[in-house]
Amino acid sequence: MGSSATAGRPAETPVPETTGRPMGWIAILLGFLTAVGPVSTDIYLPAFPELETTLHGRAGSAQMTLAVWFVGLAIGQITMGPLSDRFGRRRPMLLGTLVYTLASVGCAMARDIPTFSFFRFVASLGASASLIIPSACVRDMSHGNESARLMSRLVLVMGVVPILAPTLGGLVLSIASWRSIFWAAAVYGVICVGLIWRVLPETLQPANRSEFSPVTLFSRYVMLARDRGFITHAMIAGFACFMSFTYLSAAPSVFIHQFGLTPAHFGMMFGVFAVCMIGASQLNGVLVGRIDAARILGVSVGVAVAGTMAMTVMAIVIAFAMQHGGHPPLWMLGCLILAMMVSLGTTGIIGPNATVGALADHPRFAGSASAFVGTLQYVLGAVAGAFVGMLPANSPLPMAGVMLMGAAIMMVMVLLRPARVPGPLPAGAAEE
């Protein structure tokens, strides 16, 4: 792309150092804000059966509300990222979180599935701001291995709420209705609005803000899509989410309906998987700087392929057992869960490294690049949910097979990525 748009601009303003005590509380704050999306995705999973009954929906209609949520997140991120590049990080996050809060109230008061789905869609548009802008804040404040380390720290904080969310959702259902879950989400949104308003610093300096117009925006996304280093890393991050969302979409049916777990037990099992992802992300934080991040990413994808292959083999055995003897033995279920722990745990390493790799060469447009990655993730998440929803729900095989497909595509992207990711581009060289 031509450099005329950047000619004469001041050099990139230095960003704060990422070492020392201050970065600890910023990571905690960004993680808490980013958790708006995961908690809103996860907390109502145990409520699917009750939600369908209360809102007079057909079987599977609650799963479609999850797909609507993913679609809204995809649309919201593709716009929120460029807005944050133009107006800074705080204002789009403040507006988005306020929209999320009001829409959560709408969800709590909905009387039918279409109304609930509408407010879920609006809520997802608002929540998209807090999903992708914190990643851009990390890029504003750091780069290279330090960026990967900070991203892993953010993933740790962000993962605490998803661990608790399904368990809390199951506990809420034991003493109150599913509507209480969304009233709680609205309260969470109010807290986030207050934190953004009073605590969150602006990390994007005015000198580094970019123009915002349809032509510029389109050109920017075309430039990113044509960058081999960016698109391969973005696809790896996207299909890591494809795997996770396949699990999110299929798990309530597999473990509650097929294997007979209660919502509370399902929430606890979900927490075990989340612990694996968080533990992996923290292992990544220890390894980054000692081992090349590109190598860590490649090995992690290989482990994900092996784990999903084991899942698929175990799911075939379970499907055969279910056809010939009802519920499978406990040891089969244990082996399936163990393979899932390996498969899903690797996403805690793959996600931060792939995202950092995608954003590495685009510091001026970190918001747009983060939005591109986030949109791709949730588009693939919506595809995963719709795909799983169309497959038979009488065994864990569809879930395992779709996750294996996602892992295989990640491996293809690992093989196609550049052998060495180039360093930051000179100002104006290729950024517009």
Side-chain angles (χ1 to χ4, degrees), residues 5-90:
T6 57
R9 283 184 181 172
E12 221 177 286
T13 303
V15 294
E17 291 293 330
T18 60
T19 56
R21 190 172 180 178
M23 287 307 299
W25 70 261
I26 290 179
I28 293 172
L29 175 60
L30 292 177
F32 186 82
L33 296 174
T34 307
V36 166
V39 72
S40 300
T41 301
D42 302 338
I43 196 169
Y44 87 126
L45 295 180
F48 275 13
E50 182 183 338
L51 188 146
E52 290 174 353
T53 301
T54 305
L55 298 183
H56 311 291
R58 61 174 179 79
S61 57
Q63 186 171 304
M64 294 309 297
T65 68
L66 189 61
V68 168
W69 169 259
F70 292 152
V71 170
L73 290 178
I75 295 173
Q77 288 179 88
I78 206 72
T79 54
M80 285 293 182
L83 285 173
S84 75
D85 286 336
R86 175 65 182 87
F87 298 106
R89 310 306 186 198
R90 291 181 73 253

Side-chain angles (χ1 to χ4, degrees), residues 158-355:
M158 182 182 68
V160 171
V161 174
I163 284 179
L164 299 176
T167 303
L168 292 176
L171 292 175
V172 168
L173 290 176
S174 67
I175 59 175
S177 75
W178 62 267
R179 297 182 189 276
S180 300
I181 292 174
F182 291 93
W183 286 116
V187 172
Y188 181 40
V190 170
I191 294 172
C192 289
V193 168
L195 289 172
I196 296 168
W197 179 259
R198 300 295 299 174
V199 180
L200 182 69
E202 178 57 69
T203 61
L204 184 65
Q205 302 297 327
N208 295 333
R209 298 182 186 183
S210 61
E211 299 175 3
F212 183 84
S213 70
V215 174
T216 301
L217 183 59
F218 178 76
S219 299
R220 191 177 303 164
Y221 284 128
V222 170
M223 178 270 293
L224 290 170
R226 294 174 62 184
D227 181 341
R228 183 178 166 194
F230 172 85
I231 197 63
T232 51
H233 283 93
M235 290 287 283
I236 293 169
F239 276 97
C241 280
F242 178 90
M243 286 176 54
S244 297
F245 292 149
T246 297
Y247 160 69
L248 289 176
S249 298
S253 174
V254 170
F255 292 102
I256 295 177
H257 293 297
Q258 296 175 25
F259 294 150
L261 296 185
T262 66
H265 289 156
F266 171 77
M268 287 186 282
M269 186 199 66
F270 189 98
V272 171
F273 292 136
V275 166
C276 291
M277 287 185 272
I278 292 171
S281 73
Q282 294 318 289
L283 176 62
N284 181 62
V286 172
L287 294 178
V288 165
R290 303 181 183 182
I291 303 175
D292 181 61
R295 183 179 179 187
I296 295 173
L297 181 60
V299 171
S300 300
V301 171
V303 173
V305 171
T308 51
M309 288 179 67
M311 262 188 72
T312 304
V313 170
M314 206 64 242
I316 292 172
V317 173
I318 290 174
F320 182 80
M322 292 176 70
Q323 286 182 348
H324 292 83
H327 287 291
L330 188 60
W331 69 267
M332 290 186 182
L333 181 58
C335 289
L336 177 68
I337 291 175
L338 183 62
M340 289 180 69
M341 289 171 61
V342 173
S343 303
L344 293 170
T346 58
T347 61
I349 297 177
I350 294 168
N353 286 310
T355 301

Side-chain angles (χ1 to χ4, degrees), residues 92-110:
M93 284 185 69
L94 187 63
L95 176 62
T97 307
L98 182 60
V99 169
Y100 163 83
T101 302
L102 296 175
S104 295
V105 173
C107 289
M109 300 177 67

